[in-house]
Amino acid sequence: MDSVEDELEMATVRHRPEALELLEAQSKFTKKELQILYRGFKNECPSGVVNEETFKEIYSQFFPQGDSTTYAHFLFNAFDTDHNGAVSFEDFIKGLSILLRGTVQEKLNWAFNLYDINKDGYITKEEMLDIMKAIYDMMGKCTYPVLKEDAPRQHVETFFQKMDKNKDGVVTIDEFIESCQKDENIMRSMQLFENVI
């Protein structure tokens, strides 16, 4: 049994240097950081890919005080860029690189993609509300003990009015980026969103 494990390990290691160099070029991580991240990733996901269930399990450990299932679902879809139902190490690193070290523009593009649940290039009020509710659920009652049931909806109403410049009922990526960059409150909420990751 040991030799099979060793062979598998060797095979992975053999593939790794090339892939890591490529990832180093595509991300904002150093080779050393990528090696550490890879070890952690392989530890949690020996198969080398994460399916949605595993992703939700891992994520729930970070937010024991709330229910992170729905948010993890949306987040999974944002990481799963080729929409094949699995997040590979590459997918994970590309997303993480933007979230941790990306420019404001890159982060906002990523956030737009997260909020655009059906990936049609627009954010509707419903989509924004779904994400907000998911964040509130995940943060749990102890983080926001005074929140009323309709708090996410009020939040979304305010945001949406500011963002939907031409009042056509949807927010485009340009409207989204422009609003976020102009409005410090929105940016602050995005910070909150960053801490959620």
Side-chain angles (χ1 to χ4, degrees):
M1 185 64 202
D2 239 17
S3 62
V4 177
E5 297 270 305
D6 289 346
E7 266 177 59
L8 275 174
E9 191 55 40
M10 275 311 292
T12 339
V13 171
R14 262 205 298 277
H15 287 297
R16 217 172 47 189
E18 219 177 309
L20 278 188
E21 264 149 41
L22 190 64
L23 266 181
E24 192 182 355
Q26 290 173 344
S27 75
K28 295 180 166 78
F29 293 115
T30 65
K31 197 163 184 181
K32 188 90 198 112
E33 287 171 326
L34 285 168
Q35 285 168 333
I36 293 163
L37 286 165
Y38 184 73
R39 241 172 268 140
F41 189 86
K42 287 295 276 186
N43 212 14
E44 287 288 347
C45 321
S47 68
V49 291
V50 187
N51 63 20
E52 191 171 332
E53 281 319 299
T54 311
F55 192 84
K56 285 177 178 171
E57 277 166 34
I58 295 169
Y59 212 73
S60 67
Q61 294 164 20
F62 295 105
F63 296 95
Q65 75 278 22
D67 178 5
S68 62
T69 319
T70 315
Y71 188 74
H73 163 75
F74 294 138
L75 202 56
F76 180 84
N77 286 341
F79 272 103
D80 177 18
T81 46
D82 47 10
H83 310 299
N84 63 354
V87 170
S88 66
F89 182 63
E90 286 78 5
D91 292 334
F92 176 66
I93 288 302
K94 285 173 190 166
L96 205 61
S97 175
I98 290 170
L99 291 166
L100 297 179
R101 302 200 176 148
T103 62
V104 170
Q105 184 83 20
E106 287 170 332
K107 286 179 182 177
L108 290 175
N109 277 327
W110 202 92
F112 181 87
N113 178 47
L114 173 76
Y115 278 92
D116 178 14
I117 295 171
N118 68 0
K119 311 296 177 228
D120 66 352
Y122 301 100
I123 299 174
T124 62
K125 204 178 277 188
E126 283 65 41
E127 285 176 320
M128 199 179 271
L129 187 60
D130 285 348
I131 297 276
M132 280 294 172
K133 278 183 178 159
I135 291 176
Y136 280 94
D137 286 348
M138 177 176 64
M139 296 314 242
K141 291 288 172 268
C142 56
T143 318
Y144 295 126
V146 292
L147 277 189
K148 324 258 181 320
E149 268 307 296
D150 58 348
R153 186 173 292 282
Q154 288 169 346
H155 212 102
V156 167
E157 284 297 335
T158 314
F159 267 15
F160 212 84
Q161 271 180 331
K162 285 181 183 172
M163 287 186 177
D164 183 12
K165 300 271 185 248
N166 62 357
K167 307 287 173 243
D168 63 352
V170 292
V171 172
T172 63
I173 189 145
D174 293 336
E175 287 176 324
F176 182 80
I177 288 174
E178 193 189 329
S179 309
C180 290
Q181 287 178 326
K182 272 191 188 154
D183 190 315
E184 275 186 31
N185 290 332
I186 298 181
M187 279 309 261
R188 224 170 283 131
S189 291
M190 288 291 161
Q191 265 10 85
L192 159 101
F193 151 90
E194 235 172 72
N195 303 337
V196 162
I197 297 214

